[in-house]
Amino acid sequence: MAADSSAAAAVNETVYHPFRAGFCRDSFWNSSVTWHTEKPDLTECFQQSALIWVPCLFLWLTLPYQAYRSLSGRFKIQRWSWVSVAKMAFSLILTALAVAEMSYVAHQWNTLGRDALPDVDLIAPLIKAATFLLSAVYVYLDRRNAEPSSAVLFLFWLLVVLGSIATFRTKIEAARDGGISDHFRFGLFMVSFPVTCIQFILSCWAEYFRERDLGDLQPCPEQYSSFPNRLTFWWFTSLAILGYRRPLVQTDLWDVNPEDKTKLSVDKFEKYWRQEMATMRRSSGDYSTPEAARARRKPYEPSLTLALLKTFWLPLLLGGLLKLMNDLFVFVAPQLLKLLIGFVSDTRVEAWKGYFYAVLLLGASCAQTIILGQYFHLSMRTGMHVRSAVVASVYRKALRITSAAKRTSTVGEIVNLMSVDSQRFMDLMGYIHLLWSGPLQMALALYFLWEALGPSVLAGLGVMILMVPINAVIANRTRSLQIAQMKEKDGRIKLMTEILNGMKVLKLYAWEESFQDQVSGIRERELETLKRAAYLSAVSSFTWILSPFLVSLTTFATYVLVDERNILDAEKAFVSLSLFNILRFPLSMLPMVITSVVQAKVSVNRLTKFLRNEELDPDNVLVIPSSDQTVTSALSIAHGNFAWGKDEPLCLKDINIDIKEGQLVAVVGQVGTGKSSLVAAMLGLMERRSGDVTQKGSIAYVSQQAWIQNLTLKENILFGNPLDERRYQQVIDACALRPDLEMLQGGDQTEIGEKGINLSGGQKQRVSLARAVYCNSDVYFLDDPLSAVDAHVGKHLFDQVIGPNGLLKNKSRILVTHGIGFLPQTDNIIVLANNTVSETGSYQQLLQNKGVFADFLRVYLTEESDVLELEDPEAAAIKDDILGEIGAVPNGRTERSASIHSSGSQTSLRKVKRVSRQDSKLLSSRKTPEKEILLSGKEKNGGVKGDKLGNLVGLEKSEIGGVKWDVYMTFLRHMSLPASLGIMLFYFMFNGISVGTNIWLGYWAEDAKDPFRRNSTEWRDYRLGIYGGLGGIQGLFVFFSALILAYGQIRASRKLHHNMLVRILRAPMAFFDTTPLGRIVNRFSKDVDTVDASLPMNIRMWLNCLFSVLATIVVICMSTPVFGAVIPPLGIFYYFIQRFFIATSRQLKRLESVSRSPIYSHFQESVTGTSVIVATKQTDRFILENELRVDTNNASYYPNIVSQRWLAVRLETVGNCITFFAALFAVVGREKGWDMHPKDIGLSISYALTVTQTLNWMVRMTSELETNVVSVERIKEYTEVEQEAEWTIPDHRPEKNWPQRGEIKFENYQTRYRPELDLVLKGVTADVGSGEKVGIVGRTGAGKSSLTLALFRIIEAADGSISIDGINIASYGLHDVRSRITIIPQEPVLFSGTLRLNLDPFKIYTDEEVWRALENSHLKRFVSSLPDGLEHAVAEGGENLSVGQRQLICLARALLRKTKILVLDEATAAIDLETDDLIQRTIREKFADCTILTIAHRLNTIMDSTRIMVLDQGKIKEFDAPSALLQDKNTIFYGLAKDAGIVS
């Protein structure tokens, strides 16, 4: 037998000797020494050359890379650490040992002659000496550059150690056999081997360099970890343990790495995007001449994809290389399986080869695990960088686009770009390489299949080619559905944003149901699209599952049918099966990747469209430094023509203005003459068509609508400037904010809610003014800042801030104003008419000119209320003086146009009236009552009040610990329990039949051993038919489960969204006052999107993985029962790893969700205040804040992606062990005679090879399922928010004509805004008779607004009651109460949609009634002139209507509803004189028989009231006729009238 074996070895002996004679002692390769032997070894030549040269060559090849790293390093470290010293010392020792060996060989040559020793004996130590010296240089350079660990040196020492181990074994074997001839060199090797091992251990050790701490509070340990540590993500373990012990919080997380900072990515991306835009502009060219037009080429389209590729090409290239290495390793396993089946089948093969194959399988699998881990880590990290760049770029762009461009994209759409579209890029990055890697894997699999089954594989290839057009059709259809769904989603988010912004108005009008129906309508259309996409996905799943099986079926069928000699044995069947399993991955993933690419393409188009929007030209205004003494003008415009955008009509024509330094210049003019536009042009916020704008020094800007940030009051005023305590206190006093600070519990540390929710209009305007004053700029642009403040406060602000003796007296000031009170004190007045400057000059000059300005004064003064003349004789005298100056007024001149929109001089300078007089006591109408402005955060806007520290907005709630089963059950119940059970049953059946199919294939392969069955065509066809039938049933089960899932997913999505929407619309106002809009919008956008799209896919994948893992374990245990012994330890390890991971990952995902909302909140806030940010040159600071918020979000996202890789490495190690043990037991089974069949080995190992990936996916899907179920949890949280009372009580509805009389009775009424707050109304008792006109007044925090909110039950009674016509309003439903009271609110809120929808959302009035209401509100002429009439589209927030028109629409709403009780919260908006006059007149005429409650912001408008109610500290102090109250000088009302200048 031995003779036979040696004879066989001699036949198979292969000797390879590439070197010349004398170079080595023996041959380079000898198969009889290395392979065909019971005791394998390597030849001495191989050990002396390949094992030494390969690692050395590797190190020398990395020299350019190391040189580049060294030259581009940031650090120059001088000190030495013990690790560096040890590495250097051991490198030098190894160099010395190599030199000693080289000297010894040279001496031997000299002594014994050159033929005594081969050349390789001298060359090997020479190469070693040079390379070890180079490694010492690397150590020095790494230390100098503060590199904690070197990947190059780690890999080098690993290769050296692996080579040395083989040599060490050979030398030990030789020593044992007494075959050592050269004891000196043997001794040198025995010294160098442990030193090499020590060097390898040291290369696994990271050094700490404190110089790398760049000021981060919690630097990421990744920066200081060693290369093997990074390969296995061991550095993350500390966070995983912490997350397992207790729920993680934001402070536990590390700061983002320097290379992950958003700024780095976005700067790079913006550079390449600018290049793309520049190329487009160059290609557009000039086509003015016919020749140029003929030669015209299509302009270059800027490519966002190209800009992204240029930005991220390096990580994408490295990712591609790692993916390529992984793909090659994938095909090692089937080849080893082939060898193992051959080993088990042939008992003559040496036993060590079986163990060698098993170890090789483990080694290849572990290498694949490491490479795949690094590939995914790099890809996901790149995805994070792409998302950061896109989000930051969109934010930057939003601050730069023109007003015209802003109108093309709503805030909701831009938020979607930031949330959904950027996420698409990030999701795609993990799989983008499959676009080329998938076809490569398929090509390699087909190549190896050809080797096994020959041309039969072409049949399988044909099936694959046939599947391409089917998948293409599905992908195209998916894309179109995707676009349709995104469009509906944008519309839904836009409407939700508007609803949330106007929630108070909706509640006051009882309109929630109408808007709920609108949102539900859009949602239904969105779900319809989603349903079609889900059914398409079911078809797609069917083809995915079926296509790999069809490929294997057609290949096997062709193979056995084409030639009767083709026999399917175990080796062919199971090697092919493992190759088909490899094929399954690209075949199933490619359609998904193509879908992702399609979705990303949609996002690219949306982003490109936005990023191509027109930008503000920084050269619109020429800024001259304030130090330049040659220029005396603070601001000058010469021949300026301006428009809001390139394609927009001119708004300002031929503007010529010259404002000297230190001047106070007023800008006046009627509605729509372009006052605000002029300010915008001066600030550079408009497109300059021609002319020049020059401005000197820095600027400050106070916008017409005050913009307040969600920060503390102090931070709002400082606005990013350093604190100068003295100036700060000065500004507080000058802007009349001192009393506010004393009343606010948190003082200047009180947090202001979104959009200044807990401040009144006047407070907001004064904070806005204080912000501008504090920044101490050179030029001040004040766009009507006095319009929102009361008369005496306006006077204070003018005297202390704006006027000749104010804080800004030495500054240049441009004041847009709606009144004449302060005009005499200005240096110059600019009068606008017909979009141009009609006249300029001082107050006296303009009076003498008797032009447009004089006309305005004449109209204004002759119509001043008689009340003022009676009350204030001094005022009357001043009025007579001015009238004498400008001449008598003909009666005809006082006639007003019936409509706000009449043209010509009739409209005159209507708007210029609205500022309190400075010299006279003639008080004109004011808009917000500063006497009641200091609300101490509890009166306005639903009575928002902060906590004891002044914090208003709480931190976003984040659940901790495991997702409760209740959340899963909520989702399953919404899907319907039968559907849930059906899905699970079908997946179980699918996997069971899949296992049966492969077992059947095993029995078919066994037929090769049975001569009868092998040659029987009937038996062959029987096997083939059953095999095909089982595959078809698999596909059907998957198809039906996907159909049921589609049904269940749509049902759950509909119910969850509906429940959340219903609960949010029924939430009390206190909820909206304390919850940022961004947070609610995030629930309706990101979380709903997760439930719609991500969660169903997670469920499908999770079920698939769960049953696949169970199937694998069952199959391996059936094939090799002894394998059952290793399942418990591996299972325990798997369980603990999974629990560690899921606990940490879940909380990281929650933190990531919570830290995402502030990005959107800050963005929405910034978009609202763009004009202030851009005008005051604060853009960079806000961009920095945005990047900081994105980095904070990434600080929780990055550990999340690392946690997945940390898990994958550990789980795949479990999978690799399963594969290793399956192979090992197969080898042991052959040796021990366990009666193992090749089919059992083939089946168990081919299943084991898939389990690694399945185990990994299993935990990832479990984790993703848990993390995505967090979205259900977050939606569920909002379906449980506190609710208002019932909208209607079916068995207790009021009569149709209730209230008939309009009598209101307060009985000991008490109320508070939230249970934990103090009472704001304390025992109010009063009777208001039918038809009475009651004015409600009071100083700051008196409770006026609270009283009206109580009437509408926006806040509920704590005690006492309110009765209307003798019935307690608390006994009726909210809508029954609110719909029977009419209110004209302070701020006119409109919603996007038609004009009719804004007037009558429930469509309960006829067109005739609507037109009558429009006629009575003086809008009929305007609406009739519109092309679409009542169907005219109103823009978001009513942007395409003037403030006056919006206020008149609110009046029309009141006229339509016309109830017996009218609540009038006087308008704070800067409406012009005529609109105000029309509203007052209409109310007097049309509501003459109604009970009217007026919250008085201007005392002169309520002087004709039946009675005045004076509130103070939540109690009624006075309630009597105005004349009676004025007669008693001790009354509070008399004091208020005196403050306002009504009585002298």
Side-chain angles (χ1 to χ4, degrees), residues 212-220 223-224 255-258 261:
R212 292 186 74 88
D213 290 346
L214 300 172
D216 289 339
L217 296 173
Q218 281 184 289
C220 181
Q223 295 182 62
Y224 308 104
D255 297 328
V256 289
N257 289 318
K261 298 268 187 197

Side-chain angles (χ1 to χ4, degrees), residues 436-726:
W436 61 264
S437 155
L440 173 70
Q441 283 190 20
M442 285 153 74
L444 287 171
L446 287 169
Y447 167 76
F448 288 117
L449 279 165
W450 182 286
E451 277 200 333
L453 302 173
S456 311
V457 136
L458 293 174
L461 181 62
V463 172
M464 285 162 64
I465 293 167
L466 271 176
M467 297 311 288
V468 170
I470 295 171
N471 284 331
V473 168
I474 292 172
N476 275 331
R477 187 78 189 108
T478 306
R479 182 189 173 199
S480 56
L481 289 172
Q482 182 73 37
I483 295 167
Q485 195 214 336
M486 285 306 290
K487 190 179 171 188
E488 296 295 351
K489 187 179 174 189
D490 282 347
R492 179 170 58 80
I493 299 302
K494 176 186 168 190
L495 183 56
M496 268 318 298
T497 308
E498 282 194 73
I499 287 171
L500 294 170
N501 278 322
M503 185 54 78
K504 189 178 173 189
V505 169
L506 287 186
K507 288 191 178 298
L508 290 171
Y509 286 132
W511 278 2
E512 298 102 319
E513 278 181 299
S514 168
F515 282 82
Q516 180 182 314
D517 291 344
Q518 286 184 56
V519 175
S520 297
I522 297 173
R523 178 67 177 158
E524 277 307 312
R525 293 198 299 275
E526 189 184 354
L527 286 175
E528 190 55 41
T529 313
L530 206 65
K531 192 200 299 182
R532 291 209 295 272
Y535 289 151
L536 200 65
S537 174
V539 175
S540 184
S541 295
F542 179 68
T543 57
W544 288 359
I545 295 295
L546 214 58
S547 51
F549 179 78
L550 279 175
V551 170
S552 61
L553 176 68
T554 50
T555 307
F556 287 153
T558 309
Y559 180 70
V560 295
L561 293 172
V562 85
D563 188 343
E564 287 184 7
R565 287 169 300 176
N566 285 350
I567 305 299
L568 198 64
D569 59 14
E571 185 184 298
K572 283 191 176 73
F574 288 105
V575 169
S576 299
L577 197 64
S578 66
L579 288 166
F580 284 132
N581 281 334
I582 290 171
L583 202 56
R584 184 182 287 256
F585 180 71
L587 271 180
S588 61
M589 289 302 288
L590 265 178
M592 202 171 92
V593 174
I594 290 165
T595 307
S596 284
V597 170
V598 165
Q599 289 177 352
K601 184 74 180 83
V602 173
S603 296
V604 162
N605 294 342
R606 284 157 56 89
L607 272 163
T608 305
K609 183 186 168 199
F610 177 72
L611 292 176
R612 282 182 64 174
N613 271 330
E614 201 182 322
E615 290 186 19
L616 290 168
D617 185 351
D619 301 328
N620 278 336
V621 178
L622 175 66
V623 181
I624 296 167
S626 53
S627 54
D628 190 340
Q629 299 301 316
T630 58
V631 179
T632 56
S633 296
L635 187 133
S636 65
I637 302 178
H639 308 295
N641 288 296
F642 303 92
W644 284 112
K646 279 198 170 75
D647 304 321
E648 303 279 315
L650 284 179
C651 288
L652 294 169
K653 302 165 192 166
D654 196 28
I655 304 294
N656 290 286
I657 291 172
D658 188 20
I659 297 168
K660 301 295 179 193
E661 286 187 89
Q663 275 193 333
L664 169 57
V665 176
V667 179
V668 297
Q670 68 183 30
V671 174
T673 50
K675 298 182 297 301
S676 292
S677 299
L678 180 64
V679 173
M682 292 171 172
L683 293 169
L685 301 176
M686 287 185 80
E687 180 76 26
R688 177 169 56 85
R689 292 282 174 81
S690 61
D692 298 301
V693 183
T694 311
Q695 169 225 312
K696 184 176 177 184
S698 57
I699 61 170
Y701 172 49
V702 180
S703 56
Q704 187 174 2
Q705 289 182 317
W707 172 66
I708 304 294
Q709 290 181 270
N710 181 199
L711 299 167
T712 65
L713 194 73
K714 187 172 193 172
E715 287 167 331
N716 264 289
I717 294 170
L718 296 180
F719 203 50
N721 293 303
L723 175 65
D724 175 346
E725 191 60 45
R726 188 168 155 276

